[in-house]
Amino acid sequence: IDGIEEGSHAQMRQACGVPVATSGALMPDAHLGYGLPIGGVLACENAVIPYAVGVDIACRMKLSVLDIPADSIDSKFNLFKESLEGGTRFGVGCEHKIPQSHPVMDQDWTITRVTREKKDRAWKQLGTSGSGNHFAEFGVLSIDEDNRAFGLDAGKYVALMSHSGSRGVGAAVCSTYSDIARSMLPAKYSDLARLAWLDMDGEPGQEYWAAMTLMGDYAAANHDVIHRLVSKLLGAHIVASVENHHNFAWKETHNGKDVIVHRKGATPAAAGALGVIPGSMADPAFVVRGKGNADSLNSASHGAGRAMSRKKAKDRFSWKAVKNDLQKKGVRVLSAGADEVPGAYKDIRAVMAEQADLVEIVARFDPRIVKMCDDGSRPED
């Protein structure tokens, strides 16, 4: 695939050489990560690899369609701006002053020591967006023809889209269990430290799986709260939604074998499954339906993918100039880091063309009002 550096291929080859690995796939937005590349998919037999799930467990997308006219984004800009700024928080360690309510906090957080100890922090961070490439934005969703997946007629709609995950508690779960996995790694596999695995029959493996599953529920709740708060401040109702994880592990069957499929920066794309694949603040996102391609382990890209490092992006681009150019194109950025400029990302249209055999496009989302972290901090999650 064009545009994927050799380092990502090398990481994927190494991952496929892990003793418990059975098969793997690399998505067209792939770039270097820790252990498994971002955009890497790896199937393992009866084992889970914490770093193949990722630091931000259950990082995910959610798009909600709202019951207000598409042209209101311009005519009521200040209201949209205030709802984004009031409905979520950005930055490492950010919290809501008043903890938000959600049934996820009534689940059993005592399943592992780390989830028990981090529950209070998780509660305070519920409904927040973090840093790095996480965002919340309004845009116009275009549906060209009737689509039963949404139950909506053809036309243009206001939609809210968010990208966030399990925040500080998810990072703590990853750190705890990746350290355990590394401590158990036989010396002859020392070069696989970032790919250290946990046997699913062992207690650490079972604990990690329980914690990861809870983090999935928590991340989904996080988006649920964000969308609830933002839409309430806007005075709108949600009429349809689509969402998906893209940092997670699933128990699936491939080639007649039960395996654990890790998708690190990859969208589940089983036949008929709906998902959201974002581009950049200047480019569209797409609602997609999976085609169930066995060669990709029923997966697709999780976005456009970075074309350059954060440092290189900051050195190359003038954020002020980029922001002004975006505004001329109808995209108003409330806040963002200079390392998140559109030029730091691959062309989402080219990425979508590369995976036409993996997903079909159901609808297109064009960003109009974007909110990201602008304090220059690196993601904790």
Side-chain angles (χ1 to χ4, degrees):
I1 300 172
D2 292 338
I4 298 180
E5 72 272 61
E6 172 53 30
S8 295
H9 287 283
Q11 281 191 322
M12 198 68 222
R13 286 193 294 270
Q14 184 185 45
C16 288
V18 171
V20 294
T22 61
S23 56
L26 197 61
M27 300 301 103
D29 63 336
H31 54 96
L32 285 170
Y34 292 115
L36 192 66
I38 310 300
V41 182
L42 189 69
C44 295
E45 190 168 6
N46 201 42
V48 63
I49 301 174
Y51 258 109
V53 169
V55 176
D56 186 11
I57 300 172
C59 185
R60 70 199 320 265
M61 298 298 306
K62 181 167 184 171
L63 182 145
S64 291
V65 184
L66 306 177
D67 64 344
I68 50 180
D71 59 8
S72 62
I73 292 180
D74 291 321
S75 62
K76 298 181 179 179
F77 169 73
N78 286 336
L79 179 59
F80 279 83
K81 174 179 180 292
E82 290 165 5
S83 67
L84 271 188
E85 294 183 332
T88 186
R89 302 287 183 272
F90 285 87
V92 171
C94 64
E95 301 175 347
H96 275 288
K97 290 182 180 179
I98 302 174
Q100 300 299 307
S101 62
H102 193 281
V104 73
M105 301 313 302
D106 295 326
Q107 291 184 215
D108 185 4
W109 284 72
T110 68
I111 50 174
T112 68
R113 178 179 176 179
V114 65
T115 52
R116 181 179 72 250
E117 292 179 348
K118 298 293 183 181
K119 180 179 179 179
D120 287 345
R121 182 183 182 191
W123 205 330
K124 292 176 182 177
Q125 292 193 321
L126 185 63
T128 64
S129 298
S131 61
N133 62 353
H134 291 171
F135 60 78
E137 60 190 30
F138 286 114
V140 176
L141 184 75
S142 301
I143 300 177
D144 291 334
E145 56 187 52
D146 293 356
N147 193 294
R148 293 179 182 176
F150 279 98
L152 299 173
D153 295 331
K156 295 186 181 298
Y157 299 84
V158 171
L160 169 66
M161 186 168 70
S162 56
H163 177 213
S164 188
S166 52
R167 305 291 286 111
V169 62
V173 169
C174 177
S175 176
T176 297
Y177 286 94
S178 60
D179 285 349
I180 292 172
R182 291 172 74 169
S183 72
M184 299 168 63
L185 191 66
K188 64 179 179 178
Y189 296 125
S190 60
D191 61 322
L192 299 177
R194 292 287 193 182
L195 292 165
W197 62 92
L198 296 170
D199 192 306
M200 287 295 290
D201 292 332
E203 187 174 343
Q206 288 293 317
E207 284 187 3
Y208 174 78
W209 192 266
M212 181 199 73
T213 301
L214 178 60
M215 291 303 93
D217 293 342
Y218 174 74
N222 195 31
H223 284 263
D224 190 34
V225 171
I226 291 170
H227 285 235
R228 182 181 75 201
L229 292 176
V230 172
S231 60
K232 183 178 180 179
L233 287 169
L234 188 62
H237 295 93
I238 297 171
V239 297
S241 292
V242 57
E243 55 191 316
N244 63 270
H245 294 332
H246 51 223
N247 274 20
F248 210 63
W250 289 260
K251 294 178 179 178
E252 298 178 359
T253 301
H254 293 272
N255 298 316
K257 182 179 291 187
D258 292 336
V259 291
I260 303 295
V261 178
H262 306 73
R263 294 186 176 90
K264 185 180 183 181
T267 300
L274 291 177
V276 181
I277 300 178
S280 72
M281 62 181 73
D283 293 315
F286 297 95
V287 178
V288 299
R289 182 185 291 112
K291 293 186 175 182
N293 189 311
D295 291 339
S296 74
L297 294 171
N298 291 352
S299 308
S301 83
H302 84 312
R306 293 194 73 92
M308 64 179 68
S309 70
R310 294 180 181 279
K311 183 181 184 305
K312 190 173 182 180
K314 287 181 177 180
D315 291 343
R316 177 173 295 189
F317 295 101
S318 162
W319 174 233
K320 184 176 180 180
V322 170
K323 186 175 180 179
N324 289 338
D325 182 58
L326 286 170
Q327 186 154 341
K328 291 176 183 176
K329 295 176 180 177
V331 180
R332 286 185 264 199
V333 182
L334 304 182
S335 61
D339 52 357
E340 286 296 323
V341 297
Y345 286 87
K346 299 175 185 178
D347 182 350
I348 185 62
R349 298 166 187 80
V351 170
M352 297 305 297
E354 291 274 8
Q355 56 186 356
D357 57 336
L358 308 183
V359 292
E360 63 174 319
I361 294 173
V362 171
R364 168 176 167 153
F365 171 95
D366 288 286
R368 298 292 298 280
I369 305 174
V370 179
K371 175 80 175 171
M372 302 182 78
C373 179
D374 65 350
D375 65 6
S377 58
R378 294 297 302 274
E380 66 180 346
D381 41 19

